[in-house]
Amino acid sequence: TMKGSIMGVLLVLALVVQDRLAGGLELKSYDYTKYHTMDEISAWMNQMEMENPDVVSSMIYGQTYEKRNIALLKIGLNSTTPKKAIWMDCGIHAREWIAPAFCQYFVKEILGSYKTDSEVNTLLKNLDFYITPVLNMDGYNYSWIDSTTRLWRKSRTPGTGNCTCVGTDLNRNFYANWGMVGISRNCCSEIYNGPSALSEPEAKAVTDFLGMHQNQLLCYLTIHSYGQLILVPYGHPNISAPNYDELMEVGLAAAKAIKAVHGKSYRVGSSPDVLYANSGSSRDFARLIGIPYSFTFELRDEGQHGFILPEDQIQPTCEEAYKGAMSIINYVHDKNFKSAAITVTATLWTTLTALWISSTNVI
Amino acid sequence: MKTFCSVWLLLSLVELSPAPPASQEPPLACTGAPDPAPPQPETAEDMASTGDLEPTHYPARRAAQVALHYLNTHHGSPFRVFGLQQVHKASAEDVAAGGRKYKLDFSVTDWGSGSAGPALRCSADVLFPRTERHSAPKVELHCEALQQINSTAQEDDAFYQKYISPDSTVSARDIPDSFGNMSEEMQPFWRLARVAASFIMLRESSENTEFNMAKVASITQQESSEEQLMLEFVVLLHDFPSQVTHKHTHRLWTLMDTEAVCVLTVCVCSAGDRSVEAAGVLVSRQRRQGPADRVAAQMPSRHQTPELTL
């Protein structure tokens, strides 16, 4: 009967659904247009690794003050030879929630397109991506407690000595002209650079990883908000990176790519020029140890919402930032791998020409 | 229908103190805590930028933001807040009396209409004085076509009519919430808080600060005599160079005024002293006609400074 066959169909469907759930295949998909808690992001990282075992592996490279494991996702196609790499970190400052949202979006984009998009495929073939969705996990978690903690910025290490305030500005704590400018020695300050350089385990973890991989790393991207800026080294007004002109060119091209998406203007320059002087930043450290292409992204907006960017702006912000980041990454890739492609193409033409000549019996 | 004064703004109980980020102190009267010193100048180099300025660099932008705060104190409303779109040209020179004067050519947009809205072209002179103690920058501003943009008078009036009733007891916290959400009903209150905050941001600005309003911590409608809307705002103001979010409490009055002239007074709590003194700029604001960026020094006699209980 009709009813019987409908029931039969429904029963089969129910069993299939149950089987898929039991098999661990997630039917509900992750919402990249919402802000996520630290626990959700950690679970998402595991999911990315499980769902894409051939290109994703995770690495724990340190521990936060509150003993959380600092983890990154390493994304790239397997290779028998050591590969060059790109580093990206998000969430050095806890209240800049759009930054971790961007790291998650970036991962989703490259994982979702590398099989079909030849440009992304080439990137994953030639490069590894080391992506840390939330570096300041303690601070990020703290900013989720309630509305009074939402604007927390620093780490959560307790003050030393007489100081009763909590936290060090991780982006002033790196061994890069530490303590010279744009910092405060008052431990209650938002730009307190810590009792000493690398006092913070989060900064030490990044330092150690970058140090170990400095010959591999071509590009260092650190994602912040707000301000709509692309910042090039260095934070000290009297020091210029040797490749400053090139960095500006690359940064301006990235800003152009960003503007093409939704019309947003991102200003490009060194921190002391476009924002304020500072020292001890992770970007400066990366450049100092020789990673040639080091940039800070300050995402939306320009002050209307500031740190509390509405969720309906996550998607467009991520779309434009993705184009900006990819503009830089493609430049870096082509600079290091284009010559190989030219060699291959030249060889091909030579071979074809030789074949043609021999086939037409010209000689 | 009586004409509403758009804003009779009394900024009182202003407390400039870096808020301990984790705690939420209840909105208070002057506690007598001294104002902290304004942020220290960064380096000698920063103070030396004179002549033509790079429009995308921070000295021009900070000066333009000051002009924006000034613009919003004169033309902001529950339905209009201006934001900086772009600085076109800028220059700075040291002035004889001490201080630095910036000349700016820039465009602004109404945040309400977003990128779809028209951009207004403005020019401004912004003078940052050099005094022992911080004093507010002085702004002269002219924007083209300011009178031609659609007036928000109707929406302003409807807003005030709605909330002026004696039964109205608006009270809200965290505008927006942690996810950036804000109900439609709260949007005019947020804008009003932002306009009121512009008075503080204007007054506190220097070449070494760059302020934005991070959020509204609370809005509480105060009891008042009829035909008066009195709101108390607690806002958090973010400063870029220091990265501090300062907490401020201020009160805003609107009055029915048949002359359509508003008087705005800034009252500041003195350090260590629980009295309130009238200080700052008295601004006469003609909401419906005439160039609105006219500054009047006199206080109309029929508006008495209300007694403030602390």
Side-chain angles (χ1 to χ4, degrees):
Chain A
T1 62
M2 186 66 146
K3 245 197 214 163
S5 42
I6 290 172
M7 289 300 294
V9 166
L10 285 171
L11 182 63
V12 168
L13 277 175
L15 287 170
V16 167
V17 167
Q18 189 183 49
D19 176 57
R20 285 177 72 87
L21 286 174
L25 291 166
E26 296 294 327
L27 287 187
K28 63 172 173 65
S29 53
Y30 195 75
D31 192 343
Y32 293 91
T33 66
K34 291 258 176 293
Y35 295 119
H36 290 280
T37 64
M38 195 60 246
D39 286 345
E40 287 169 354
I41 295 174
S42 298
W44 167 84
M45 288 175 76
N46 290 336
Q47 192 185 345
M48 290 299 104
E49 194 177 2
M50 272 199 324
E51 287 177 1
N52 303 274
D54 45 339
V55 288
V56 181
S57 59
S58 66
M59 296 168 70
I60 294 170
Y61 63 98
Q63 274 200 328
T64 66
Y65 169 74
E66 290 173 356
K67 299 281 179 275
R68 292 184 169 85
N69 285 330
I70 307 175
L72 56 76
L73 292 175
K74 178 182 176 185
I75 304 177
L77 291 163
N78 281 332
S79 159
T80 46
T81 51
K83 292 168 72 182
K84 295 291 185 187
I86 311 279
W87 168 282
M88 186 187 296
D89 64 66
C90 296
I92 283 186
H93 292 134
R95 57 193 179 194
E96 300 165 12
W97 285 12
I98 186 61
F102 173 66
C103 267
Q104 294 164 72
Y105 177 94
F106 185 89
V107 166
K108 178 235 337 168
E109 274 303 301
I110 60 176
L111 290 178
S113 64
Y114 80 93
K115 287 179 183 162
T116 50
D117 184 322
S118 61
E119 191 181 86
V120 178
N121 190 278
T122 307
L123 289 176
L124 288 197
K125 192 176 74 166
N126 292 331
L127 297 167
D128 283 334
F129 288 80
Y130 294 111
I131 300 175
T132 302
V134 186
L135 179 61
N136 182 6
M137 302 166 77
D138 295 350
Y140 185 76
N141 192 60
Y142 183 77
S143 72
W144 272 80
I145 293 176
D146 60 41
S147 60
T148 66
T149 65
R150 174 63 177 85
L151 293 175
W152 187 259
R153 166 182 169 87
K154 301 188 285 184
S155 68
R156 292 295 302 166
T157 31
T160 52
N162 291 332
C163 187
T164 52
C165 294
V166 172
T168 290
D169 185 342
L170 291 177
N171 211 33
R172 303 286 185 279
N173 190 243
F174 284 77
Y175 230 126
N177 301 309
W178 183 82
M180 288 199 143
V181 69
I183 57 96
S184 171
R185 294 308 296 149
N186 179 343
C187 101
C188 297
S189 166
E190 297 284 17
I191 52 174
Y192 174 58
N193 58 337
S196 56
L198 291 189
S199 56
E200 307 307 295
E202 297 86 351
K204 178 116 195 344
V206 173
T207 297
D208 289 347
F209 189 97
L210 294 184
M212 272 203 313
H213 295 82
Q214 70 186 85
N215 294 328
Q216 274 179 268
L217 287 164
L218 298 173
C219 178
Y220 177 89
L221 300 177
T222 182
I223 316 296
H224 291 248
S225 78
Y226 60 100
Q228 291 177 208
L229 306 167
I230 297 175
L231 303 173
V232 305
Y234 289 107
H236 195 291
N238 295 346
I239 307 169
S240 261
N243 61 342
Y244 170 82
D245 289 344
E246 188 188 16
L247 289 172
M248 282 300 293
E249 229 180 86
V250 175
L252 287 163
K256 194 164 170 207
I258 288 174
K259 191 158 190 157
V261 184
H262 296 297
K264 293 296 182 186
S265 295
Y266 278 56
R267 280 162 297 114
V268 183
S270 69
S271 293
D273 281 345
V274 291
L275 185 57
Y276 46 59
N278 69 344
S279 57
S281 70
S282 65
R283 175 209 62 227
D284 281 2
F285 174 74
R287 186 62 196 93
L288 278 173
I289 61 167
I291 300 171
Y293 302 98
S294 298
F295 296 90
T296 306
F297 274 59
E298 296 278 358
L299 302 181
R300 288 193 197 182
D301 61 10
E302 289 182 302
Q304 186 178 346
H305 300 97
F307 301 114
I308 313 183
L309 193 69
E311 286 179 314
D312 64 11
Q313 287 201 47
I314 294 178
Q315 175 76 13
T317 304
C318 289
E319 285 168 350
E320 69 201 16
Y322 180 80
K323 289 294 187 196
M326 275 305 186
S327 167
I328 296 173
I329 291 164
N330 276 310
Y331 175 90
V332 171
H333 169 274
D334 290 351
K335 209 165 177 212
N336 284 271
F337 296 94
K338 193 86 178 247
S339 52
I342 289 169
T343 312
V344 166
T345 316
T347 311
L348 190 58
W349 275 114
T350 312
T351 312
L352 283 172
T353 310
L355 277 173
W356 177 81
I357 289 172
S358 63
S359 72
T360 55
N361 291 313
V362 168
I363 300 169
Chain B
M1 189 198 302
K2 282 192 188 172
T3 313
F4 265 95
C5 213
S6 62
V7 172
W8 196 102
L9 181 67
L10 181 72
L11 284 174
S12 62
L13 318 177
V14 170
E15 197 177 285
L16 174 60
S17 60
S23 76
Q24 181 77 325
E25 294 150 77
L28 288 176
C30 289
T31 59
D35 288 356
Q40 295 306 305
E42 289 155 9
T43 64
E45 270 75 23
D46 298 344
M47 309 301 272
S49 33
T50 47
D52 284 339
L53 301 177
E54 186 58 55
T56 58
H57 289 187
Y58 77 77
R61 190 181 64 249
R62 287 184 194 175
Q65 294 283 21
V66 169
L68 254 297
H69 296 320
Y70 181 89
L71 176 61
N72 281 321
T73 60
H74 285 75
H75 289 275
S77 81
F79 292 90
R80 174 150 292 139
V81 179
F82 289 103
L84 178 67
Q85 187 202 54
Q86 197 189 351
V87 178
H88 303 292
K89 284 212 307 267
S91 64
E93 58 180 3
D94 291 329
V95 296
R100 188 176 301 150
K101 183 189 267 198
Y102 289 72
K103 279 181 140 41
L104 304 161
D105 170 11
F106 57 102
S107 292
V108 306
T109 54
D110 177 1
W111 277 348
S113 33
S115 42
L120 287 184
R121 194 67 173 247
C122 299
S123 61
D125 283 358
V126 177
L127 171 65
F128 292 104
R130 299 270 167 73
T131 48
E132 272 289 309
R133 275 197 65 178
H134 171 80
S135 50
K138 294 182 175 42
V139 181
E140 277 169 38
L141 172 71
H142 174 76
C143 291
E144 290 169 5
L146 198 50
Q147 309 312 317
Q148 285 155 38
I149 51 169
N150 291 335
S151 163
T152 61
Q154 247 186 321
E155 299 112 303
D156 294 349
D157 280 347
F159 173 78
Y160 292 126
Q161 289 280 12
K162 184 174 177 186
Y163 293 105
I164 215 148
S165 103
D167 302 327
S168 176
T169 50
V170 174
S171 175
R173 305 188 72 85
D174 303 315
I175 321 288
D177 66 14
S178 289
F179 307 90
N181 299 321
M182 193 187 320
S183 69
E184 217 172 295
E185 193 194 358
M186 279 297 126
Q187 285 177 23
F189 287 100
W190 182 90
R191 288 187 210 108
L192 209 47
R194 179 60 172 77
V195 168
S198 299
F199 284 87
I200 303 171
M201 294 192 282
L202 174 61
R203 192 192 64 184
E204 297 302 322
S205 285
S206 74
E207 289 167 285
N208 301 312
T209 60
E210 193 169 339
F211 289 110
N212 284 293
M213 186 175 81
K215 68 182 275 185
V216 179
S218 69
I219 300 168
T220 321
Q221 185 163 10
Q222 308 293 302
E223 265 185 50
S224 63
S225 54
E226 52 176 284
E227 295 180 356
Q228 195 179 51
L229 174 65
M230 197 195 308
L231 300 164
E232 186 181 83
F233 295 104
V234 179
V235 299
L236 294 175
L237 304 181
H238 172 243
D239 167 49
F240 263 114
S242 65
Q243 290 291 350
V244 178
T245 43
H246 300 264
K247 182 151 68 83
H248 288 265
T249 307
H250 53 268
R251 287 188 178 181
L252 180 152
W253 273 262
T254 66
L255 283 182
M256 289 280 281
D257 193 310
T258 52
E259 291 175 9
V261 171
C262 308
V263 177
L264 303 103
T265 312
V266 176
C267 290
V268 180
C269 296
S270 310
D273 173 5
R274 293 189 132 247
S275 69
V276 173
E277 57 179 85
V281 176
L282 296 178
V283 178
S284 156
R285 179 170 146 173
Q286 292 184 283
R287 196 166 55 80
R288 289 188 195 276
Q289 67 249 7
D293 54 343
R294 197 183 291 152
V295 176
Q298 63 271 34
M299 178 129 127
S301 55
R302 70 186 202 80
H303 293 298
Q304 304 295 321
T305 311
E307 282 290 339
L308 289 163
T309 48
L310 299 174

